[in-house]
Amino acid sequence: MSVAQVSSTHERLERAASVFDVQRVRRDFPILGTSVNGKPLVYLDNAATAQKPQAVIDAVSRYYANDNANIHRGVHYLSERATAAYEDVRRRAQVFLGAGEAREVVFVRGTTDAINLVAHSYVRPRLEAGDEVVISAMEHHSNIVPWQLACGERGARLRVVPMTQAGELMLDAYEELLNDRTKMVALGHISNALGTVNPIKEMVRTAKERGIPVLVDGAQAAPHLTIDVSDLGCDFYAVSGHKMFGPTGTGLLYGRAELLEAMSPYQGGGDMIETVSFERSTYARIPAKFEAGTPNIAGVVGLGAAIDYLLSIGRASIAKYESELLQYAVEAIGGVEGIRLVGTPRERAGVVSFLMEGIHPHDVGTIVDQEGVAIRTGHHCAQPVMDFYGIAATARASFAFYNTREEVDSLVTALGKTHELFG
Ligand code: C6P
C-alpha cells in the first residue's frame, strides 16, 4: 500500500470509530476475563506493559502460520510476502507518528533501544569535553543512563531541568539551562512515575529556536495521545510497541531523515550493509542502516495490527474516555483514608502514584493483589523522582482505555481494606 492509501485507510478507521463502548472494547482482550485469587482480574499495570487485543494475537499467529520467512533476502514467494508485510507496517507507523517519510521510521526493540541508538550514533560522536545534554528531573532510567554513558566517555555533562512538588517541570529553569554547549535535549512526553503530561511542543520549540536537537521519550504517550512528530517539530521520537497494545520486543524510532542519514550505524551485521570486504564496508540507506540482523518480523506485524486497532477505536475517543476515568481515579484513590498522592500535576495521563501511611508500597501491592488488583510498586525505574520526594518507592495504578470506573472502585475497596488491616 502507498503512504497515501495508508493515510486514507487510517483516516477512514479513525472516522469509523463510533461512540466509545468500554464493554465492547474489553471483549477484544481475552486476558481481561482472567480470575486472580478467585476474583476478576483488575489490570492496573498498563504503564509497565499493556494487554493485547485478539487482533494482535491473531496477526502474529497468522504471520507464523502463513507468511513466515526472512525478509529483504529471498526472491521466493514467502520472503516477498514477509518483506511486504514488514514494510507495510513501516508505512502505517509513519502515518501513526505523523512522520513525513517512511524511511524516517526505524524498527527497534523498544524505547530503551531507540534512545540508546540515538545516544550512541548521534550524540556520542558529536560530544566534546564541556558539552552538555539536557534531560529532566522526571526521566525514566532509559532516558538518563544512555546520556550519562555518552557524556562520561566524552567529558560532557548532564544537566537536569528541575520540577516542582506537584511534579511539573520548571520551564524558566529549562530555558536558562540551554546554551551554546547544549548538544541535545531529551525529554519524556509523559512521566511513567507521576503521570505528568509535559508541555512538550513548547519545550521542543524552545530548544529548536536555539538550534538544539530534541529527542522525545514517548513510551507513555503513544498509548494515550495522538502523536504527531511533524507538529511537535522534534528530531527523534521513541515508542515501545508493548505499551501500545503490540508485542514485546518491538518499538519505533522516528528520526528526521537528515539526521539519520548523517549518523553512523548502531550495530553491524546483515541487512545494514551495501558492500562488505575485509578492508571496508559501506552501509545501506536509512532505515536499513539501523536494522542489523534478522528483526522481530512477527512482532512488527503484530505492531501493525496494534496500530490499526488503536485507530479503529479512535485516539480522540480514547483520550476523552481516559481523561474522565483518570479524573475519577485521582479523586477516588486520593479520598481513601491514609493515602497521599505523589505528584499532583494539572495535566496528567495514565498514571496515579500514591503512598499509604504506615505501610510499605510493596505490602500495599501484595495485599491488593489478593483482591485480584494488579498495580506496580517500587521506584518505577525513576529513582531520581523517588529521591526528589525523599521516598524509596510508590504504589502506582496505571490505566488503559479498557479499564472502568468499577475497576477503580475495586482498587479503592482493596485499599480501604488494606488501611483497616495495617494502616
Ligand atoms: N516503563 C514502567 O513500568 P522499554 O522497557 O524500552 O519498553 O521502555 C522503557 C521506558 C522508557 N521511558 C518511559 C517513560 C517508560 O515508562 C519506560 C518503561 C515501564 O513504567 C517499565 S520500567
Side-chain angles (χ1 to χ4, degrees), residues 68-398:
N68 180 52
N70 212 329
I71 56 165
H72 300 149
R73 287 160 170 85
V75 290
H76 60 79
Y77 173 78
L78 282 184
S79 177
E80 282 180 0
R81 268 176 79 91
T83 304
Y86 184 84
E87 291 303 330
D88 189 49
V89 176
R90 200 185 305 277
R91 285 185 284 274
R92 274 135 75 195
Q94 174 205 340
V95 176
F96 181 77
L97 292 173
E101 300 178 62
R103 67 190 181 122
E104 296 183 309
V105 176
V106 181
F107 290 124
V108 289
R109 284 188 296 129
T111 303
T112 306
D113 196 28
I115 298 174
N116 275 280
L117 190 163
V118 177
H120 180 94
S121 289
Y122 182 74
V123 169
R124 203 174 56 156
R126 289 165 178 77
L127 279 183
E128 288 173 12
D131 283 345
E132 297 176 353
V133 172
V134 170
I135 60 168
S136 90
M138 61 176 75
E139 299 309 323
H140 184 278
H141 297 167
S142 294
N143 202 25
I144 302 173
V145 184
W147 309 115
Q148 233 161 22
L149 287 168
C151 287
E153 258 181 50
R154 314 293 289 186
R157 192 154 72 115
L158 207 56
R159 306 293 307 271
V160 181
V161 185
M163 67 178 181
T164 63
Q165 278 296 319
E168 293 177 339
L169 294 180
M170 297 181 181
L171 299 185
D172 291 346
Y174 168 58
E175 248 185 276
E176 279 167 28
L177 276 179
L178 303 178
N179 62 60
D180 292 347
R181 293 181 303 275
T182 316
K183 289 289 148 36
M184 186 77 186
V185 166
L187 299 166
H189 197 158
I190 296 180
S191 155
N192 70 315
L194 305 170
T196 313
V197 182
N198 287 317
I200 205 71
K201 190 171 170 181
E202 188 184 333
M203 295 183 84
V204 171
R205 194 178 53 235
T206 306
K208 297 299 295 178
E209 278 167 2
R210 291 160 177 76
I212 304 166
V214 185
L215 174 141
V216 180
D217 170 351
Q220 296 296 344
H224 304 293
L225 308 177
T226 300
I227 310 298
D228 186 343
V229 293
S230 302
D231 182 54
L232 285 181
C234 58
D235 299 282
F236 299 101
Y237 197 98
V239 307
S240 294
H242 71 100
K243 292 189 200 294
M244 48 177 277
F245 316 97
T248 51
T250 64
L252 304 171
L253 170 66
Y254 157 77
R256 209 145 55 72
E258 199 187 321
L259 301 191
L260 289 179
E261 272 170 347
M263 284 157 60
S264 48
Y266 177 40
Q267 296 179 323
D271 224 24
M272 53 72 72
I273 50 87
E274 200 175 60
T275 62
V276 176
S277 73
F278 289 122
E279 287 68 43
R280 72 185 279 268
S281 301
T282 57
Y283 307 120
R285 290 168 181 272
I286 62 168
K289 183 165 77 174
F290 299 106
E291 294 180 8
T294 301
N296 182 358
I297 308 164
V300 165
V301 168
L303 180 57
I307 289 173
D308 289 351
Y309 182 81
L310 272 172
L311 296 176
S312 75
I313 301 294
R315 285 179 289 180
S317 308
I318 288 173
K320 179 171 181 294
Y321 175 80
E322 284 189 0
S323 135
E324 286 163 11
L325 181 69
L326 199 64
Q327 200 178 335
Y328 180 77
V330 169
E331 279 168 28
I333 296 168
V336 176
E337 221 185 317
I339 291 271
R340 168 161 78 87
L341 297 181
V342 179
T344 49
R346 282 162 295 179
E347 292 290 328
R348 183 201 284 269
V351 166
V352 184
S353 253
F354 56 92
L355 294 171
M356 185 175 274
E357 211 171 41
I359 313 177
H360 193 281
H362 289 319
D363 295 329
V364 175
T366 307
I367 297 164
V368 302
D369 180 56
Q370 295 306 307
E371 303 294 320
V373 181
I375 59 172
R376 183 172 172 189
T377 63
H379 53 59
H380 316 296
C381 300
Q383 282 186 4
V385 173
M386 303 299 127
D387 292 347
F388 173 80
Y389 288 106
I391 55 182
T394 73
R396 181 188 73 179
S398 57

